[in-house]
Amino acid sequence: MDKILRVDTRKRRIDVLPVTEEETRWGGRGLIAHVLLREVPPTCEPTGRRNKLIFASGLLADTNVTTVGQMSIGGKSPLTGGAKECNIGGGAGRRLARLGVRALIIEDTPAETGRTDVLEIRAEGSCLVEAPELKGKLVDETIAALRVKYGSKVGIFCIGPAGEMVMYAAGIACPDDSDVQIRFAGRGGLGALMGSKGIKAIVVDDTGSTYKAPIHDKALLQETSRWMAEALLKDPKTENRNTFGTPAILALASASGLMPTRNFSSGTFEKADDIAGERVREEILARGGQTGKPCVTGCVIQCSNLFPDKTGKKIVASLQYESICLLGSNCGIGSLDDIAEMNHFCNQVGVDSIETGAAIGVAMEAGVIPFGDAEGAKDLIRQIGQGTWLGRIIGHGAKLAGRVLGARRIPVIKGQAIPGYDPRGVKGNGVTYITSPMGADHTAGNAFETLKYMDVLKPDGQVEISRKLQIRAALLDTLGLCLFVRPPFVKRPEQFGNLLKGRYGWDLSFHDVQLLAWDTIKTEREFNERAGVSERFFPIPEFMEDEPLPPKNAVFDVKMSDMGSMWDGGFTPLDDF
Amino acid sequence: MDKILRVDTRKRRIDVLPVTEEETRWGGRGLIAHVLLREVPPTCEPTGRRNKLIFASGLLADTNVTTVGQMSIGGKSPLTGGAKECNIGGGAGRRLARLGVRALIIEDTPAETGRTDVLEIRAEGSCLVEAPELKGKLVDETIAALRVKYGSKVGIFCIGPAGEMVMYAAGIACPDDSDVQIRFAGRGGLGALMGSKGIKAIVVDDTGSTYKAPIHDKALLQETSRWMAEALLKDPKTENRNTFGTPAILALASASGLMPTRNFSSGTFEKADDIAGERVREEILARGGQTGKPCVTGCVIQCSNLFPDKTGKKIVASLQYESICLLGSNCGIGSLDDIAEMNHFCNQVGVDSIETGAAIGVAMEAGVIPFGDAEGAKDLIRQIGQGTWLGRIIGHGAKLAGRVLGARRIPVIKGQAIPGYDPRGVKGNGVTYITSPMGADHTAGNAFETLKYMDVLKPDGQVEISRKLQIRAALLDTLGLCLFVRPPFVKRPEQFGNLLKGRYGWDLSFHDVQLLAWDTIKTEREFNERAGVSERFFPIPEFMEDEPLPPKNAVFDVKMSDMGSMWDGGFTPLDDF
C-alpha cells in the first residue's frame, strides 16, 4: 500500500501521494490518529471545513491473512469531539488495499451545501462525479443505483439520508460483494462527517490494478497466516461465534444483569429468551436464512448471519448482539421480527443502531412513545430518514434527544451512547467508556470476558483490566485484524511479529508490537486532550452513580481519580495477549 | 444581609444559615462563583441533581445606593457548562436584601419530574408549595395568578413553559412592582436550571422583616451615595441613556458594520433607521408609551422604556438594543412592531431574546423560514411555548438548532449565542466572548466604547482592552451596581472603597476593590477549567475566520495564543476605571 489519496471537496481536486517511511509504520486506527493529530485542528467544528474523513487500511490489509479486509474509518467524531475510528467489513476495504491505497483522506467541504457527489476510485485515476439522482436515497436504493452504473465488481461505501442531513447518529455503510450484508461504520457520527463533505458514495474499482504488495518473506507470512487460520478453526470460541454469531452472549448478558433494558433502568430483560442467540439461530434455520457468513472475503470465523422473515425473505444481515440489545431490550421490545425490522430501517436511513436504540430509549422514557411500542419505534426511525423535526432530534443521537425531549437518564459518555453493557453490571466496560479515546464504545476494550474470572461488580482491578483490553483492541485495530482473532495469539503472541515480519521485514517482539498499539492510543489521547475531550471532563452519567441497577443493584463506583491516572505511567507491556 | 437560605428540592427542606465572615466578602457574581467552586462538581450535568441555582445579592444590595436593586442569578450554565451569572432588575432583588438574605441556594431535583412548585420566602419563614395550577402558564399568566394569591407587595421570580420544559434558551423573569416591565436573567439557560428544580416561581415577601442592614458609617455611605447619584445625573451619557435607552447605540452599530444581520452574514442592516434608538423613542412618544423608566426602584439612570402598539397598549417593556438586533436585523426583520411583538412572545414563553434571535437566525439560514419572515418567526417562538418538536429545537438555543436544522454558520462561543456585536466588527468583544468565563456575553466586557478610541478592526491591543473591560464588569457585578454607573467613577475610582467602607467599615483602595473583581474572575476561571470550559477548547466560529464581514470585510484574527495567555500573569491592576 504505497499511496495516499487526498480529496479536496472544495477545489474538487484529487492528489495521489506516495506513502512516506513514517506513514508506512502507521496502520488502520493508528494511521487515522496520526493524520488527525498532524492535520486537523483538535477544536475544529466536526462537520466544518477543517475536519477530515479518513479511510485507512490496517498494516496487513494487502495480505491474505484472515479477517484483514476490515477497513478503518475515522476523523474527529461529531458525537464525541475526539478522535474516532470504526472498523468494518464489506467489500470495499480489500479493494482499496489491492489498489495500493493505504489511506484516503477527504478534506474541506464544498462551497455550497446539499451536494450529492460520488467519489470514484480507480486504478487509472480517481474523480468526484455529481450524482443528484442519488439525493435522499435510502442505503439499499443507493447501492442498487450504483450497481446499475458501476456493476457488481466494485466496492462501495455510502451514506443514507441521515448522513446527507448531517445527523450525528449517521454511519457509513459498506455492502459485501453480493449486497446481502450491509456493514456499518456506525459509531461516532462518521456518516455526518461524510455528509458534510457532500459525498454520498465512494466507489472502489480495483480492475486493472498493477499494485503488488511487496511481501518481504512470503513463506513466513504464509506459514504464520495458515497457523492462525487453523488455530482459529480449532478454537471452541470460533465455533460458538460461527454458530451463534455475536448474539451468543445475550442470554448470559441478561442473566448477569448487565444488559441495557428500558433505557438502562434494568440489567435484565424478561423476554431475553425470545431474543437470545439460540433463538436467533433457531429462527434463521427454520426460515431458511443463513448463519456462519463472513463479513469480509477470506474470514474463517464467519460470525455473521442473514435473518429472514417468516416467508424466507431477508429482513436484515447481519443481526448482531448490540442491535438486538439497544433496539430490543433497551426499548422494551422482545420480538426478533420487530428488532430485525428496526435494524433494517436503521440500515436504510443510515444510522448507527446503537446510538439510535439509545435515542429511542430516552424518547420512550420522556414519554414520546411507550416502552415496548415497536411500531412507534419503527416510525421514529422512518422519521429520521424523512427529516421530520422529531426524526432529526432522534437522528442526532441519545444525548441531544435526551436533552431536547426531556429525559432524565441519558446513557452517554463523551456524547456517545453506551452500547450493550451497562457500566454498573460490568465495571471494566465503564472504565473503558470513560478512559478510551473512543468514548462509550465496547470495541475499544470490552470487559464482558471478565465475567468469567473476576468480580465485575466491584471497582477493584477494573482500571487494570480495562487498560489491558484497550491495548489489545488497539493492537488489532492497528494491524487491521478482527477482534475475534485473539484465541490463537493468547498462547503465541509473538506471531504478531511474524505476520509483520513476513509482510514488511520488521523485527518486532510482542513487546514491540504492543508499542504500535500504545502509539495509537497515545496519539489519540494527545488529540483528545487538545480537543478538550479528556476523561476528567466526561464522567459516568449521574444516574449510574445514584440508581442501583436491578437485579444486582450495583452503582458505578470506580473512582475518577483512578481512571484519570490510568495512563499516567505511560505504557506498561502486557505479558500475555 | 446576614443569612443564606438553602432549599433542598428533593427533601423539600429549607435551611437558614448565618453568613460566615468569609462569605461576607463575597457579593453578587463573586458569591455565585465561590459557591459553585465550593459545592458544585464542575463536570456535573447542568440540569441534574448536583447543580445549584444561586440567587445572590451584591455587596451593597441592602443600602440605598442607586441601581443596587439588581440581583445576581447563577449556577453552572446549561449552555456553556461553565460558571454563569446574570444580573437583572425588577422588584424581587431588593426584597431579598431587605430580608437580610445574601444568597438563596436551590439544590438537588425533585424525585419525580414535572413538579410545579412555588418557593415562598417570608420574614417568618419559607416553604415550598405545590402549585399545579401554574403548570404550563405563560410568564404574564403566572405573574397574574401569583398576584391574585400573594398580592402586589411581593417580589417575583418565575419561569415560562420553556423553563418548565428545561429548554436551554430559557431565562428567569422578574417583574417590576407594577408588573409593567419584565426583566430577564436571560443568558446561559438559567431558566432551564430553575425548571429542572421543579420551581415555577419564587415569591419574596419582605413584610414584617426585622432585618436592619448594619451600616458601618451612615454619613460616609450617604455622602458617597449622594455624590454618585448627582454625578450620574450630570453626565451626558446618563442623559443619552435616559432619553434613548440601550437602543441609542443601534445607528452607530450598524454604521460601524458590527451589527449582526441575517445570521451574522453582514454587519450593517439596510433598515437600521427604522429600528434605531431615535425611531424607538419617536414611536414611544407618538403612541403614548414611556421612556426613562427605572428597572429597579431608586435608579437615577432610568434607561428602560415601555413600547406600545399604535393604540397605546403595551407590547413590551423594556425594548432593548440586544433584542432589537438579534430578533430584528439578525433575522432580517426591520419593523419595530414586529420586533417588539417577538420580544413579547419571548418574554411570555420565557426565553432569552438573544439566544432565541440567534436560533431563529440559524433556522432562517437553514431554510426553515426565509429571512425577514416576521410572522414565521413569531410562530417559531409560539412553538417554543407549545413544546412542538420544532419549538423544542429552537428553544434549546442557537448551537443545537444550528446543528439539528443543518445551518453552516452557527454564531456561538462556548455553546452560547453571540450577542449584538459581531466579533469581526469589534474585535475586543470577540476576545471577551472567548476569554470571559461567561462565554459569548457582552455584559462581561463590552468593547463597543472602543470604537471611539482605537482601531476595532485590528487585532492589536484587543486582548489588553478586553482584560480591562472584564475587570470593570466583574467589579460592578460583585458590588451589585449596574454597568451604567461607570461615568462618575472614571475620575474618582476611590469612591468604590468609600461605598464599601460606609457599609462594612472595610478600608479598601481602588486597587483592593479591583482585587475583589479579580477574585471573582479567578474563581470562575478555576471552576471552568475543572469543567473543561477553557477558552482553548472554544475558539471563534470558523466562518468568522473564513468569511469577511461586509461592509468592512474583516475576519476575526486575534490569535488564540494571545487570548489563551491573557490571564497568565495573574492580576494587573487598572490605573483608571
Coordinates of all heavy atoms in Angstrom, one line a residue, chain A residues 10 43-45 49-50 109-113 168 368 389-390 392-393 396 400 403-405 408 529-532 536-537 539 541-542 545-546, chain B residues 10 43-45 49-50 109-113 168 389-390 392-393 396 400 403-405 408 529-532 536-537 539 541-542 545-546:
Chain A
R10 N -13.6 21.0 -1.9 CA -13.9 22.4 -2.3 C -13.3 22.6 -3.7 O -14.0 23.1 -4.6 CB -13.4 23.4 -1.3 CG -13.8 24.8 -1.6 CD -13.9 25.7 -0.4 NE -15.0 25.4 0.5 CZ -15.7 26.2 1.2 NH1 -15.5 27.5 1.0 NH2 -16.6 25.8 2.0
T43 N -9.8 21.4 18.0 CA -11.0 22.1 18.4 C -11.9 22.4 17.2 O -12.9 23.2 17.4 CB -10.7 23.3 19.2 OG1 -10.0 24.2 18.4 CG2 -10.0 23.0 20.5
C44 N -11.6 21.9 16.1 CA -12.4 22.4 14.9 C -13.8 21.9 15.0 O -14.2 20.9 15.7 CB -11.7 21.9 13.6 SG -11.9 20.1 13.2
E45 N -14.7 22.5 14.2 CA -16.1 22.1 14.1 C -16.1 20.7 13.4 O -15.6 20.6 12.2 CB -16.9 23.1 13.4 CG -16.9 24.4 14.2 CD -17.4 25.7 13.5 OE1 -18.0 25.5 12.4 OE2 -17.2 26.8 14.0
R49 N -15.2 22.8 7.7 CA -14.2 22.7 6.7 C -12.9 22.0 7.1 O -12.2 21.4 6.4 CB -13.8 24.1 6.1 CG -15.0 24.8 5.5 CD -14.5 26.1 4.9 NE -13.5 25.9 3.8 CZ -12.9 26.9 3.2 NH1 -13.2 28.1 3.5 NH2 -12.0 26.6 2.3
R50 N -12.6 22.1 8.4 CA -11.2 21.7 8.9 C -11.1 20.3 9.3 O -10.0 19.7 9.5 CB -10.8 22.6 10.0 CG -10.6 24.1 9.6 CD -10.8 25.0 10.8 NE -10.5 26.4 10.5 CZ -11.2 27.2 9.7 NH1 -12.3 26.8 9.1 NH2 -10.9 28.5 9.5
T109 N -14.9 21.2 2.7 CA -16.3 21.0 2.4 C -16.6 21.7 1.1 O -16.0 22.7 0.8 CB -17.3 21.5 3.5 OG1 -17.1 22.9 3.6 CG2 -17.0 20.9 4.8
P110 N -17.6 21.3 0.3 CA -18.0 22.0 -0.9 C -18.4 23.4 -0.5 O -18.9 23.6 0.6 CB -19.2 21.2 -1.4 CG -19.1 19.9 -0.8 CD -18.5 20.1 0.5
A111 N -18.3 24.4 -1.4 CA -18.7 25.8 -1.1 C -20.2 25.9 -0.8 O -20.6 26.6 0.1 CB -18.2 26.7 -2.2
E112 N -20.9 25.1 -1.6 CA -22.4 25.1 -1.4 C -22.8 23.9 -0.6 O -22.2 22.8 -0.8 CB -23.1 25.3 -2.7 CG -23.0 24.1 -3.7 CD -21.6 24.0 -4.4 OE1 -20.6 24.6 -3.9 OE2 -21.6 23.4 -5.4
T113 N -23.9 24.0 0.2 CA -24.4 22.8 0.9 C -25.2 22.0 -0.1 O -25.6 22.5 -1.1 CB -25.2 23.2 2.1 OG1 -26.2 24.1 1.7 CG2 -24.4 23.8 3.2
Y168 N -26.0 13.4 13.5 CA -24.8 12.9 14.3 C -24.9 11.4 14.6 O -23.9 10.8 15.0 CB -24.6 13.7 15.5 CG -23.9 15.0 15.3 CD1 -23.9 15.7 14.1 CD2 -23.2 15.6 16.4 CE1 -23.3 16.9 13.9 CE2 -22.6 16.9 16.2 CZ -22.6 17.5 15.0 OH -22.0 18.7 14.8
V368 N -42.4 10.0 24.7 CA -42.8 10.3 23.3 C -43.6 9.1 22.8 O -44.6 9.3 22.1 CB -41.5 10.5 22.5 CG1 -41.9 10.7 21.0 CG2 -40.8 11.8 23.0
W389 N -39.0 17.0 12.1 CA -38.3 17.6 13.3 C -38.0 16.6 14.3 O -36.9 16.5 14.9 CB -39.2 18.8 13.8 CG -39.6 19.8 12.8 CD1 -40.9 20.3 12.6 CD2 -38.7 20.5 11.9 NE1 -40.8 21.2 11.6 CE2 -39.6 21.4 11.1 CE3 -37.4 20.5 11.6 CZ2 -39.1 22.2 10.1 CZ3 -36.9 21.3 10.6 CH2 -37.7 22.1 9.9
L390 N -39.0 15.7 14.6 CA -38.8 14.7 15.6 C -37.7 13.7 15.1 O -36.8 13.3 15.9 CB -40.1 14.0 16.0 CG -40.0 12.8 17.0 CD1 -39.3 13.3 18.3 CD2 -41.4 12.2 17.2
R392 N -35.3 14.4 13.2 CA -33.9 15.0 13.3 C -33.4 14.9 14.8 O -32.2 14.8 15.0 CB -34.0 16.5 12.9 CG -34.0 16.6 11.4 CD -34.3 18.1 11.0 NE -34.6 18.2 9.6 CZ -33.7 18.7 8.7 NH1 -32.5 19.1 9.1 NH2 -34.0 18.7 7.4
I393 N -34.4 15.1 15.7 CA -34.0 15.0 17.1 C -33.4 13.6 17.4 O -32.4 13.5 18.0 CB -35.2 15.4 18.0 CG1 -35.6 16.9 17.8 CG2 -34.9 15.1 19.5 CD1 -36.9 17.2 18.4
H396 N -30.0 12.7 15.8 CA -28.8 13.3 16.3 C -28.2 12.6 17.5 O -27.3 13.0 18.2 CB -29.0 14.8 16.6 CG -28.7 15.6 15.4 ND1 -27.5 16.0 15.0 CD2 -29.6 16.1 14.4 CE1 -27.5 16.7 13.8 NE2 -28.8 16.8 13.5
L400 N -28.4 14.4 22.5 CA -29.3 15.5 22.1 C -30.8 15.2 22.2 O -31.5 16.0 22.7 CB -29.0 15.8 20.6 CG -29.6 17.1 20.1 CD1 -28.7 17.9 19.2 CD2 -30.9 16.8 19.3
R403 N -31.8 15.5 25.9 CA -31.9 16.9 26.3 C -33.2 17.5 25.8 O -33.9 18.2 26.5 CB -30.6 17.6 25.8 CG -30.7 19.1 26.0 CD -29.3 19.7 25.6 NE -29.5 21.1 25.2 CZ -28.7 21.9 24.6 NH1 -27.5 21.4 24.2 NH2 -28.9 23.1 24.3
V404 N -33.4 17.4 24.5 CA -34.5 18.1 23.8 C -35.8 17.5 24.2 O -36.8 18.2 24.4 CB -34.3 18.0 22.3 CG1 -35.6 18.6 21.6 CG2 -33.1 18.8 21.9
L405 N -35.9 16.2 24.4 CA -37.2 15.6 24.8 C -37.4 15.5 26.3 O -38.5 15.2 26.7 CB -37.2 14.1 24.2 CG -37.1 14.1 22.7 CD1 -37.0 12.6 22.2 CD2 -38.2 14.8 22.0
R408 N -34.5 12.2 31.9 CA -33.5 12.4 33.0 C -32.3 11.5 32.9 O -31.2 11.8 33.2 CB -34.2 12.1 34.3 CG -34.9 13.4 34.8 CD -35.1 13.2 36.3 NE -35.6 14.5 36.8 CZ -35.9 14.6 38.1 NH1 -35.7 13.6 39.0 NH2 -36.4 15.7 38.6
E529 N -6.9 15.4 24.2 CA -6.5 16.3 25.3 C -6.6 17.8 24.7 O -7.1 18.7 25.3 CB -5.1 16.0 25.7 CG -4.6 16.7 27.0 CD -5.4 16.3 28.2 OE1 -5.8 15.2 28.4 OE2 -5.6 17.3 29.0
R530 N -6.1 17.9 23.5 CA -6.1 19.3 22.9 C -7.5 19.7 22.4 O -7.8 20.8 22.3 CB -5.2 19.3 21.6 CG -3.7 19.1 22.0 CD -2.8 19.3 20.7 NE -1.5 18.6 20.9 CZ -0.6 18.6 20.0 NH1 -0.9 19.1 18.8 NH2 0.6 18.0 20.2
A531 N -8.3 18.7 22.2 CA -9.7 19.0 21.8 C -10.6 19.2 23.0 O -11.8 19.6 22.8 CB -10.3 17.8 21.0
G532 N -10.1 19.0 24.2 CA -10.9 19.2 25.4 C -11.8 18.0 25.7 O -12.8 18.0 26.4
R536 N -11.4 13.4 32.3 CA -11.8 14.1 33.6 C -13.0 15.0 33.4 O -13.6 15.4 34.3 CB -10.6 14.8 34.2 CG -10.1 15.9 33.4 CD -8.8 16.5 34.0 NE -8.2 17.6 33.2 CZ -7.6 17.6 32.1 NH1 -7.3 16.4 31.6 NH2 -7.1 18.7 31.5
F537 N -13.3 15.4 32.1 CA -14.5 16.2 31.9 C -15.7 15.4 31.5 O -16.8 16.0 31.4 CB -14.2 17.2 30.7 CG -13.0 18.0 30.9 CD1 -12.1 18.3 29.8 CD2 -12.7 18.6 32.1 CE1 -10.9 19.1 30.0 CE2 -11.6 19.4 32.3 CZ -10.7 19.6 31.2
P539 N -17.4 12.3 33.0 CA -17.6 11.2 34.0 C -18.8 10.3 33.6 O -19.5 10.6 32.6 CB -17.9 11.9 35.3 CG -18.5 13.3 34.9 CD -17.9 13.6 33.6
P541 N -22.6 8.9 33.5 CA -23.9 9.6 33.7 C -24.3 9.5 35.2 O -24.1 8.5 35.8 CB -24.8 8.8 32.9 CG -24.0 8.2 31.8 CD -22.7 7.9 32.5
E542 N -24.8 10.6 35.7 CA -25.0 10.7 37.2 C -26.0 9.6 37.7 O -25.9 9.1 38.8 CB -25.5 12.1 37.6 CG -24.4 13.1 37.4 CD -24.8 14.5 37.6 OE1 -26.0 14.8 37.9 OE2 -23.9 15.4 37.4
E545 N -24.5 6.6 39.0 CA -23.9 6.7 40.3 C -25.0 6.6 41.4 O -24.7 6.2 42.5 CB -23.1 8.0 40.5 CG -21.8 8.1 39.8 CD -21.1 9.4 40.1 OE1 -21.8 10.4 40.5 OE2 -19.9 9.5 39.9
D546 N -26.2 7.1 41.0 CA -27.2 7.3 42.0 C -28.2 6.1 42.1 O -28.8 5.9 43.1 CB -28.0 8.6 41.7 CG -27.2 9.8 41.8 OD1 -26.1 9.7 42.4 OD2 -27.7 10.9 41.4
Chain B
R10 N -35.4 18.1 46.9 CA -35.8 16.6 47.0 C -36.4 16.4 48.3 O -37.5 15.8 48.4 CB -34.6 15.7 46.7 CG -34.9 14.3 46.7 CD -34.0 13.4 45.9 NE -34.0 13.7 44.5 CZ -33.9 12.8 43.5 NH1 -33.7 11.5 43.8 NH2 -33.9 13.1 42.2
T43 N -18.0 19.1 36.6 CA -18.4 18.4 35.4 C -19.8 17.8 35.5 O -20.3 17.0 34.7 CB -17.5 17.2 35.1 OG1 -17.5 16.4 36.3 CG2 -16.1 17.6 34.8
C44 N -20.6 18.3 36.5 CA -21.9 17.7 36.7 C -22.9 18.1 35.6 O -22.6 19.0 34.8 CB -22.5 18.2 38.1 SG -23.1 19.9 38.1
E45 N -23.9 17.3 35.5 CA -25.0 17.6 34.5 C -25.7 18.8 34.9 O -26.2 18.9 36.0 CB -25.9 16.4 34.4 CG -25.2 15.1 33.9 CD -25.9 13.8 34.1 OE1 -27.1 13.8 34.4 OE2 -25.3 12.7 34.0
R49 N -29.1 16.6 39.4 CA -29.2 16.8 40.8 C -28.1 17.6 41.5 O -28.3 18.2 42.5 CB -29.2 15.4 41.5 CG -30.3 14.5 41.1 CD -30.3 13.2 41.9 NE -30.5 13.5 43.4 CZ -30.5 12.6 44.3 NH1 -30.3 11.3 44.0 NH2 -30.6 12.9 45.6
R50 N -26.9 17.6 40.9 CA -25.7 18.2 41.5 C -25.5 19.7 41.3 O -24.7 20.3 41.9 CB -24.5 17.4 41.1 CG -24.4 16.0 41.7 CD -23.6 15.0 40.8 NE -23.5 13.7 41.3 CZ -24.5 12.8 41.3 NH1 -25.7 13.1 40.8 NH2 -24.3 11.5 41.7
T109 N -32.8 17.9 42.8 CA -34.0 18.0 42.0 C -35.1 17.2 42.7 O -34.8 16.2 43.4 CB -33.8 17.4 40.6 OG1 -33.4 16.0 40.7 CG2 -32.7 18.1 39.8
P110 N -36.3 17.4 42.4 CA -37.4 16.6 43.0 C -37.2 15.2 42.4 O -36.7 14.9 41.3 CB -38.7 17.2 42.4 CG -38.3 18.6 42.0 CD -36.9 18.5 41.6
A111 N -37.7 14.2 43.2 CA -37.5 12.8 42.8 C -38.3 12.5 41.5 O -37.9 11.8 40.6 CB -38.0 11.9 43.9
E112 N -39.5 13.1 41.4 CA -40.3 12.9 40.2 C -40.2 14.2 39.3 O -40.0 15.3 39.8 CB -41.7 12.6 40.5 CG -42.5 13.8 41.2 CD -42.2 14.0 42.7 OE1 -41.1 13.5 43.1 OE2 -43.0 14.5 43.4
T113 N -40.2 14.0 38.0 CA -40.2 15.2 37.1 C -41.5 15.8 37.0 O -42.5 15.2 37.5 CB -39.8 14.7 35.6 OG1 -40.6 13.7 35.2 CG2 -38.3 14.3 35.6
Y168 N -32.8 25.0 27.0 CA -31.6 25.7 27.4 C -31.6 27.2 27.0 O -30.7 27.9 27.4 CB -30.4 25.0 26.7 CG -30.0 23.7 27.4 CD1 -30.8 23.0 28.3 CD2 -28.7 23.2 27.3 CE1 -30.4 21.8 28.9 CE2 -28.3 22.0 27.9 CZ -29.1 21.4 28.7 OH -28.7 20.2 29.3
W389 N -42.0 19.8 18.4 CA -40.7 19.3 18.2 C -39.8 20.5 17.6 O -38.7 20.7 18.1 CB -40.7 18.1 17.2 CG -41.6 17.0 17.6 CD1 -42.5 16.4 16.9 CD2 -41.6 16.4 18.9 NE1 -43.1 15.4 17.6 CE2 -42.6 15.4 18.8 CE3 -41.0 16.6 20.1 CZ2 -43.0 14.6 19.9 CZ3 -41.3 15.7 21.2 CH2 -42.3 14.8 21.1
L390 N -40.3 21.2 16.7 CA -39.5 22.3 16.1 C -39.3 23.4 17.2 O -38.2 24.0 17.3 CB -40.2 22.9 14.9 CG -39.5 24.1 14.2 CD1 -38.1 23.8 13.9 CD2 -40.3 24.6 13.0
R392 N -39.1 22.9 20.3 CA -38.0 22.5 21.3 C -36.6 22.7 20.7 O -35.7 23.0 21.4 CB -38.2 21.0 21.6 CG -39.4 20.7 22.6 CD -39.7 19.2 22.7 NE -40.9 19.0 23.4 CZ -40.9 18.6 24.7 NH1 -39.8 18.4 25.3 NH2 -42.0 18.5 25.4
I393 N -36.5 22.4 19.4 CA -35.2 22.6 18.7 C -34.8 24.1 18.9 O -33.7 24.4 19.2 CB -35.3 22.2 17.2 CG1 -35.5 20.7 17.2 CG2 -34.1 22.6 16.5 CD1 -35.9 20.2 15.8
H396 N -33.9 25.3 22.5 CA -32.6 24.9 23.1 C -31.4 25.7 22.6 O -30.3 25.4 22.9 CB -32.4 23.4 22.8 CG -33.0 22.5 23.8 ND1 -32.5 22.3 25.1 CD2 -34.2 21.9 23.9 CE1 -33.3 21.5 25.8 NE2 -34.4 21.3 25.1
L400 N -27.7 24.2 19.3 CA -28.4 23.0 19.0 C -29.3 23.1 17.7 O -29.3 22.2 16.9 CB -29.2 22.6 20.2 CG -29.9 21.2 20.1 CD1 -29.9 20.5 21.5 CD2 -31.4 21.3 19.6
R403 N -27.2 22.9 14.6 CA -26.8 21.5 14.3 C -27.9 20.7 13.7 O -27.8 20.0 12.7 CB -26.2 20.9 15.6 CG -25.9 19.5 15.5 CD -25.3 19.0 16.8 NE -25.6 17.6 17.0 CZ -25.4 16.9 18.1 NH1 -24.9 17.5 19.2 NH2 -25.7 15.6 18.2
V404 N -29.1 20.8 14.4 CA -30.2 19.9 14.1 C -30.8 20.4 12.7 O -31.2 19.5 11.9 CB -31.3 19.9 15.2 CG1 -32.5 19.1 14.7 CG2 -30.7 19.3 16.5
L405 N -30.9 21.7 12.5 CA -31.5 22.1 11.3 C -30.6 22.2 10.1 O -31.0 22.4 9.0 CB -32.2 23.5 11.6 CG -33.2 23.5 12.7 CD1 -33.7 24.9 13.0 CD2 -34.4 22.6 12.3
R408 N -24.8 26.2 8.4 CA -23.4 26.1 8.4 C -22.8 27.2 9.4 O -21.8 27.0 10.0 CB -22.9 26.4 7.0 CG -22.8 25.1 6.2 CD -21.8 25.3 5.1 NE -21.6 24.0 4.4 CZ -20.8 23.9 3.3 NH1 -20.1 24.9 2.9 NH2 -20.7 22.7 2.7
E529 N -12.1 25.8 34.3 CA -11.0 24.9 34.0 C -11.3 23.5 34.4 O -11.1 22.5 33.6 CB -9.8 25.4 34.7 CG -8.4 24.9 34.3 CD -8.1 25.2 32.8 OE1 -8.4 26.3 32.3 OE2 -7.5 24.3 32.2
R530 N -11.8 23.3 35.5 CA -12.2 21.9 36.0 C -13.4 21.4 35.2 O -13.5 20.2 35.2 CB -12.5 22.0 37.5 CG -11.3 22.3 38.4 CD -11.7 22.2 39.8 NE -10.7 23.0 40.7 CZ -10.9 23.1 42.0 NH1 -11.9 22.5 42.6 NH2 -10.0 23.8 42.7
A531 N -14.2 22.3 34.7 CA -15.4 21.8 34.0 C -15.1 21.5 32.5 O -15.9 21.0 31.8 CB -16.5 22.9 34.0
G532 N -13.8 21.8 32.1 CA -13.5 21.6 30.7 C -13.9 22.7 29.8 O -14.1 22.6 28.6
R536 N -9.3 27.7 25.4 CA -8.5 27.0 24.4 C -9.3 25.9 23.7 O -9.0 25.5 22.6 CB -7.2 26.4 24.9 CG -7.3 25.3 25.9 CD -5.9 25.0 26.5 NE -6.0 23.8 27.4 CZ -6.4 23.9 28.7 NH1 -6.8 25.1 29.2 NH2 -6.5 22.8 29.5
F537 N -10.4 25.5 24.3 CA -11.3 24.5 23.6 C -12.4 25.1 22.9 O -13.2 24.4 22.2 CB -11.9 23.5 24.7 CG -10.8 22.8 25.5 CD1 -11.0 22.6 26.8 CD2 -9.7 22.3 24.9 CE1 -10.1 22.0 27.6 CE2 -8.7 21.7 25.7 CZ -8.9 21.5 27.0
P539 N -12.8 28.1 20.4 CA -12.4 29.2 19.6 C -13.6 29.9 18.9 O -14.7 29.5 19.1 CB -11.5 28.5 18.5 CG -12.0 27.1 18.4 CD -12.5 26.8 19.8
P541 N -16.2 30.9 16.1 CA -16.8 30.1 15.0 C -16.0 30.2 13.7 O -15.5 31.3 13.3 CB -18.2 30.7 14.8 CG -18.5 31.3 16.1 CD -17.2 31.8 16.7
E542 N -15.8 29.0 13.0 CA -14.9 29.0 11.9 C -15.3 30.0 10.8 O -14.4 30.6 10.1 CB -14.7 27.6 11.4 CG -14.0 26.7 12.3 CD -14.0 25.2 12.0 OE1 -14.5 24.8 11.0 OE2 -13.5 24.5 12.9
E545 N -13.6 33.3 10.9 CA -12.2 33.3 10.5 C -12.2 33.3 9.0 O -11.2 33.8 8.4 CB -11.5 32.1 11.0 CG -11.1 32.1 12.4 CD -10.2 30.9 12.8 OE1 -10.3 29.8 12.2 OE2 -9.5 31.0 13.9
D546 N -13.2 32.6 8.3 CA -13.1 32.4 6.9 C -13.8 33.4 6.1 O -13.4 33.7 4.9 CB -13.7 31.0 6.6 CG -12.9 29.9 7.2 OD1 -11.8 30.1 7.6 OD2 -13.4 28.7 7.2

